[in-house]
Amino acid sequence: MGSVQIVTTILAAAITAVAVWLVVRAVMKMVAVIRLGQPDPSRFGDQVSRTKTMLAETAGHTRMLRWSVVGAAHWFVMVGFIVLSLLVLEAYFEVVSPTGGLPLIGGWGLYGLVTEWIGILGIVGIVVLIAIRLANRPNRAGRRSRFTGSTMWQGYFVEAVVLAVLIMGFLIRGFKVATDHFEYPTWAAPLSHAVGSALPDWESAVSVAALIKIAISMTWLIVISLNVTMGVAWHRFLAFPNIFFKRKPGAAGSGLGPLRPMMSDGKPLDFEEADPEKDQFGVAHVEQFTWKGLLDFSTCTECGRCQSQCPAWNTGKPLSPKLLVLSLRDHAYAKAPYLLAGGGKDLTGEEKATAAQLAHVDVLALAEAEKPLIGDAEAGGVIDPDVLWSCTTCGACVEQCPVDIEHVDHIVDMRRYQVLIESSFPSEAGVMLRNLENKGNPWGAPQNTREDWTKGLDFEVPRVGEVEDFEYLFWVGCAGAFEDRAKKTTRAVATLLNEAGVSFAILGEGETCSGDPARRIGNEFVFQMLAQQNVETLNEAFEGREKAKRKIVATCPHCFNTLGNEYGQLGGEFEVVHHTQLLAHLVATGKLTPVQPVDGGVTYHDPCYLGRHNRVFAPPREVLGSAINGGTGGADSGLVEMPRNSERSFCCGAGGARMWMEERIGKRINVDRVEEAMSTGAKTVAVGCPFCSTMLNDGVNGKGAGEQVEVVDVASVLLRSVKPEPARGAEEGEPVAR
């Protein structure tokens, strides 16, 4: 070992020791903070499925590759980071000796070939990612940039380090080539040989270059260890457990569909026995999120994909799912010294720690602990109320997140505390909640008018209890029973089911609201009251039937989602289909035959709770494809898709109980969506949700385009094609001749 190698070895050992010590300290801090969260036993089941999903999403990059260029570039960088860590390890042998290398595999030609090409493609990948970040700088693109609000220096730093480490790897190999100490032939390492041909024959340069490579790598570790909230770096470690512990491993749309039940100490809250002084009602403090929630916040990469798809952010609202998560993350880590010292408020608001426990806590942590979780700028809140109430729970953020952060669950948990304990929510929503409690529907319509939609039909709509048997229970829903536009859809569906010979029955006045608006606004108490009533009614209606024969068809995706995904939490197990699924089946089996083509072009708007939340994308398109061409077309035949469709469909603005709240900030979400629909040139905008129908109709009328564009349900489009003459009458409730 020469003098250069002695110096490089000592320096490499010293900086590595510092980096390792700081990393261990940082990891211990992060683990301690995450463990402050509430228990969540549901995250540990089905470990085989969890492992498969985690490997598919990380090694296979299944979520990232939906964004082809970025996904491919990121995959090469990720693989480069993992595989080329071996080259960093090899550098420790090279600082000791210019001819050093990894034992066993160091001289293996295949290893040289693989690492060579991973290094080359890694450089290409990181250059692409740097170019994308530079092209989308927030100071140039503003809200259009998904990086708006991200900590940009951290992104630049991480990408520069990756590029530098990859370049140093080729320089080390090049100097080995120049000094004739390289183990691999030209065919295995062409770039390394090309670099070596341009470098001088300086043997000690290998050790010096190896030291620089180690120094760059350890500097990266030191910087991220001193910045535990540096998600753009830490996500490469935290993404694995965060994906592993996702809510529904192996299922598309994990974190979507059903909401998590309201939890206290790791168990679903029983309102009959709950005590606000002993049980947690929603989330009032950051430590009341589950440990998975705190892991979510720590894992955020600041990539902004959630933000770029958020309907609130895209229409000038203050909500950015990314910035909400970052605010919660920064607050959690700033408050952590106080919490780890034993601080915190009990459920009555009393301080749990003694003065002695808090005596040595940093004053900044104590100040952070005094911030309300929800509060405006004057109150110094972590999350502004306008941010919290701008969410439509459309799930676009969850759908796009590459590391499976569950934004919607966290937002609703904060809403639950605000509604149930603070009684703090948009005032206009109070009318809706009172109507749900007193009338069983959000409009406050009399219960004895629930069956008025049946008037004018030329066939009898059977009621449960009046018929001995039926195949489907037709869940009409509040909108379908009381809202004028939705009643047209209800009549159209009933007419089509009757035409196809499907045996169905309705509950009539026995039906009440599914509870979706109450649950999404955060009033779990009202939701459970309504849901338990419905579960009891439905169980009675299906008494004696196995689950496979307890079939429900619903026209409202919100009812479809609630009955099918959430009633199981309360003892209601049913097979629930959306009406477009049933109609697609009836068309495919020849029980309904479209004959009249639809003129003027048709575009389809995916309802969030049908598409993104429940993955029902094809059936409505199959129905429309058949109707558009009078039965001769297949799925998508003649359908004009909007730019944002399917998984990336843009919300209508009504979800999350926003249907009953005023939209006072920014551009109206429904207007944005209507403009996109109108840009297709289609004369018919087909929908599969009564909320979407209302919002898009209002948007069309607001644009003064009511004479040019019609918004109608998929069922109405099909009915006009199946029964051209009587279809209009069936929709409007006029007598229909057979």
Side-chain angles (χ1 to χ4, degrees):
M1 181 186 293
S3 58
V4 171
Q5 283 70 43
I6 293 173
V7 172
T8 56
T9 301
I10 292 172
L11 291 176
I15 193 170
T16 300
V18 172
V20 169
W21 177 71
L22 288 174
V23 165
V24 170
R25 189 183 70 166
V27 169
M28 290 176 64
K29 179 178 181 179
M30 295 179 81
V31 170
V33 170
I34 291 167
R35 291 184 66 185
L36 288 168
Q38 301 302 302
D40 190 353
S42 65
R43 303 288 179 169
F44 297 95
D46 197 4
Q47 296 199 6
V48 172
S49 180
R50 291 184 182 280
T51 302
K52 288 179 180 177
T53 301
M54 183 265 289
L55 291 174
E57 289 192 22
T58 52
H61 252 41
T62 51
R63 294 175 75 85
M64 284 291 293
L65 286 173
R66 291 181 298 184
W67 302 81
S68 53
V69 174
V70 176
H74 191 276
W75 187 85
F76 284 117
V77 171
M78 180 201 71
V79 172
F81 177 81
I82 295 172
V83 175
L84 299 185
S85 295
L86 290 172
L87 296 185
V88 176
L89 177 61
E90 187 175 27
Y92 285 94
F93 293 92
E94 292 162 341
V95 295
V96 176
S97 169
T99 61
L102 285 176
L104 301 178
I105 63 172
W108 188 26
L110 181 60
Y111 170 73
L113 176 67
V114 170
T115 51
E116 179 85 357
W117 280 101
I118 287 177
I120 293 170
L121 295 172
I123 288 176
V124 173
I126 198 64
V127 168
V128 169
L129 294 181
I130 290 171
I132 290 171
R133 189 177 293 273
L134 290 172
N136 290 277
R137 292 195 303 275
N139 60 350
R140 293 181 59 186
R143 274 185 174 248
R144 290 173 297 166
S145 170
R146 59 187 174 91
F147 297 117
T148 299
S150 298
T151 314
M152 295 301 287
W153 75 264
Q154 295 179 354
Y156 293 136
F157 171 75
V158 168
E159 289 166 349
V161 165
V162 172
L163 181 60
V165 168
L166 290 169
I167 290 173
M168 291 310 302
F170 283 107
L171 279 176
I172 293 170
R173 287 186 162 194
F175 278 118
K176 281 190 170 184
V177 170
T179 56
D180 203 25
H181 295 316
F182 196 46
E183 310 98 315
Y184 308 113
T186 303
W187 66 265
L191 181 59
S192 297
H193 279 274
V195 171
S197 66
L199 294 177
D201 181 4
W202 177 31
E203 194 165 89
S204 294
V206 174
S207 297
V208 173
L211 173 63
I212 295 171
K213 181 175 183 176
I214 290 169
I216 293 171
S217 301
M218 294 305 108
T219 298
W220 180 79
L221 283 176
I222 290 168
V223 170
I224 73 168
S225 297
L226 296 174
N227 294 273
V228 290
T229 58
M230 194 171 176
V232 69
W234 282 105
H235 84 273
R236 62 190 57 197
F237 307 112
L238 297 178
F240 296 95
N242 207 57
I243 295 170
F244 181 86
F245 290 116
K246 69 194 294 187
R247 180 140 64 86
K248 294 187 293 183
S254 177
L256 296 172
L259 283 172
R260 290 178 67 253
M262 199 160 154
M263 309 291 284
S264 180
D265 195 29
K267 302 187 217 40
L269 193 65
D270 183 349
F271 276 94
E272 292 185 3
E273 300 178 1
D275 182 351
E277 294 188 1
K278 297 178 182 177
D279 295 301
Q280 180 179 317
F281 279 58
V283 169
H285 307 286
V286 72
E287 65 272 20
Q288 290 181 339
F289 287 106
T290 66
W291 61 263
K292 174 58 167 64
L294 296 177
L295 178 60
D296 270 356
F297 308 153
S298 303
T299 307
C300 179
T301 73
E302 303 190 25
C303 67
R305 299 204 179 284
C306 58
Q307 180 175 282
S308 68
Q309 298 294 302
C310 176
W313 180 259
N314 276 285
T315 54
K317 316 290 190 293
L319 169 63
S320 156
K322 175 185 71 178
L323 299 181
L324 178 139
V325 166
L326 298 186
S327 296
L328 293 171
R329 177 198 68 188
D330 294 345
H331 173 60
Y333 281 90
K335 188 179 179 181
Y338 159 78
L339 296 171
L340 293 171
K345 301 289 194 300
D346 63 21
L347 293 171
T348 64
E350 296 296 318
E351 176 60 56
K352 293 187 288 188
T354 64
Q357 286 177 296
L358 301 180
H360 302 292
V361 175
D362 184 80
V363 66
L364 294 177
L366 292 173
E368 193 72 26
E370 293 302 314
K371 289 183 178 181
L373 190 65
I374 306 298
D376 58 19
E378 186 177 346
V382 178
I383 304 297
D384 191 278
D386 284 335
V387 170
L388 185 68
W389 296 109
S390 291
C391 180
T392 67
T393 69
C394 72
C397 49
V398 181
E399 172 71 35
Q400 293 301 319
C401 182
V403 293
D404 286 304
I405 293 171
E406 296 163 1
H407 312 72
V408 173
D409 283 342
H410 305 320
I411 288 171
V412 172
D413 272 339
M414 290 187 284
R415 285 183 171 187
R416 285 166 168 166
Y417 181 82
Q418 294 301 304
V419 172
L420 293 171
I421 302 299
E422 297 291 335
S423 295
S424 176
F425 52 89
S427 57
E428 59 268 21
V431 176
M432 177 268 291
L433 289 173
R434 286 193 295 274
N435 285 336
L436 287 177
E437 287 191 76
N438 300 326
K439 300 289 188 178
N441 68 85
W443 285 278
Q447 185 72 354
N448 61 10
T449 62
R450 267 196 182 268
E451 299 179 33
D452 284 0
W453 64 270
T454 63
K455 295 176 180 177
L457 294 175
D458 71 332
F459 57 91
E460 190 70 25
V461 177
R463 279 74 175 164
V464 171
E466 297 177 359
V467 289
E468 291 185 7
D469 195 21
F470 54 89
E471 184 178 4
Y472 286 94
L473 189 150
F474 182 13
W475 182 272
V476 177
C478 299
F482 301 120
E483 204 274 328
D484 288 340
R485 295 188 188 96
K487 283 195 283 188
K488 297 177 184 178
T489 301
T490 307
R491 285 192 284 267
V493 171
T495 302
L496 288 165
L497 295 182
N498 182 70
E499 183 74 13
V502 175
S503 170
F504 71 97
I506 63 171
L507 289 172
E509 294 182 26
E511 184 183 302
T512 191
C513 181
S514 68
D516 165 86
R519 187 168 231 198
R520 263 84 195 155
I521 203 173
N523 197 325
E524 186 74 4
F525 176 78
V526 171
F527 164 73
Q528 291 206 18
M529 178 186 74
L530 295 167
Q532 286 170 353
Q533 179 180 335
N534 281 325
V535 167
E536 184 177 338
T537 301
L538 290 168
N539 282 340
E540 184 178 338
F542 288 121
E543 189 173 3
R545 297 196 193 188
E546 58 190 62
K547 181 182 176 181
K549 294 183 179 179
R550 296 156 68 94
K551 297 180 181 179
I552 298 173
V553 58
T555 57
C556 175
H558 298 265
C559 296
F560 165 67
N561 177 70
T562 304
L563 272 63
N565 294 327
E566 296 182 344
Y567 276 17
Q569 299 168 4
L570 300 169
E573 296 290 338
F574 313 109
E575 290 289 335
V576 186
V577 298
H578 188 252
H579 71 284
T580 59
Q581 293 175 296
L582 181 53
L583 294 179
H585 171 72
L586 296 175
V587 170
T589 55
K591 293 182 179 179
L592 290 174
T593 305
V595 293
Q596 178 67 49
V598 179
D599 296 327
V602 179
T603 189
Y604 174 64
H605 163 79
D606 287 274
C608 300
Y609 273 84
L610 181 64
R612 202 157 30 234
H613 278 278
N614 284 284
R615 327 308 295 177
V616 179
F617 300 115
R621 289 174 167 81
E622 291 168 1
V623 173
L624 292 172
S626 295
I628 287 169
N629 291 312
T632 61
D636 295 324
S637 176
L639 190 67
V640 184
E641 292 283 9
M642 287 185 251
R644 294 175 291 193
N645 65 76
S646 303
E647 291 92 341
R648 295 182 191 170
S649 179
F650 197 69
C651 182
C652 74
R658 288 293 321 175
M659 179 85 167
W660 291 274
M661 295 182 236
E662 290 297 328
E663 196 171 345
R664 298 187 176 91
I665 304 173
K667 184 179 182 180
R668 294 184 67 87
I669 294 172
N670 61 331
V671 171
D672 191 295
R673 185 57 165 170
V674 161
E675 289 174 351
E676 184 174 9
M678 292 175 62
S679 72
T680 66
K683 301 302 181 185
T684 300
V685 180
V687 297
C689 171
F691 290 4
C692 296
S693 176
T694 296
M695 298 300 285
L696 297 187
N697 265 296
D698 289 352
V700 167
N701 292 333
K703 297 290 293 183
E707 296 296 320
Q708 294 81 41
V709 178
E710 183 184 22
V711 180
V712 291
D713 191 88
V714 171
S716 294
V717 176
L718 178 61
L719 181 60
R720 293 175 187 179
S721 182
V722 171
K723 301 181 70 177
E725 291 303 320
R728 185 76 63 176
E731 291 175 43
E732 301 296 340
E734 299 166 359
V736 178
R738 289 189 64 80

